[in-house]
Amino acid sequence: MNQNTRNNIQILVVDDEKIIRDSCCRVLEKEGYSALGSISGEEALVRFDLEQFDLVLLDLKMPGIGGIETLRLLKEMNPEITIIIIT
């Protein structure tokens, strides 16, 4: 995959731990992907509704709406989205 292709891939990183969220985004951006961090399931759902993402990296253990519920709701919004659980 070349750099131009990577630039077109939008990744949402959902994790309540700032260091993990920021580290994931930094590594992905270094590799040429567009990455956006989200602090909670609630915030992720709002962003997912407003923007298009190709991939979601999702933490399971978060306060508020947990990862499993967030996963279910994201899949309802877009059944084709690829979601990778990070925990």
Side-chain angles (χ1 to χ4, degrees):
M1 183 176 304
N2 66 38
Q3 188 72 22
N4 289 335
T5 303
R6 288 182 185 166
N7 286 338
N8 294 328
I9 295 176
Q10 301 289 330
I11 302 172
L12 180 61
V13 179
V14 187
D15 199 307
D16 61 312
E17 293 186 49
K18 181 176 177 26
I19 192 163
I20 294 171
R21 186 178 61 251
D22 291 351
S23 295
C24 286
C25 286
R26 191 171 40 255
V27 167
L28 290 165
E29 289 170 352
K30 183 180 175 191
E31 291 297 319
Y33 298 99
S34 294
L36 180 64
S38 190
I39 195 167
S40 67
E42 293 89 348
E43 183 180 275
L45 292 167
V46 169
R47 288 190 172 180
F48 197 80
D49 190 43
L50 297 174
E51 300 178 51
Q52 283 200 282
F53 293 96
D54 302 293
L55 174 67
V56 177
L57 300 181
L58 177 63
D59 183 27
L60 282 183
K61 296 182 180 181
M62 296 183 293
I65 298 176
I68 296 296
E69 182 66 8
T70 302
L71 175 111
R72 186 185 68 73
L73 293 168
L74 290 172
K75 282 294 195 176
E76 282 181 10
M77 295 167 78
N78 179 356
E80 302 300 315
I81 189 67
T82 300
I83 300 174
I84 298 173
I85 302 298
I86 56 172
T87 192

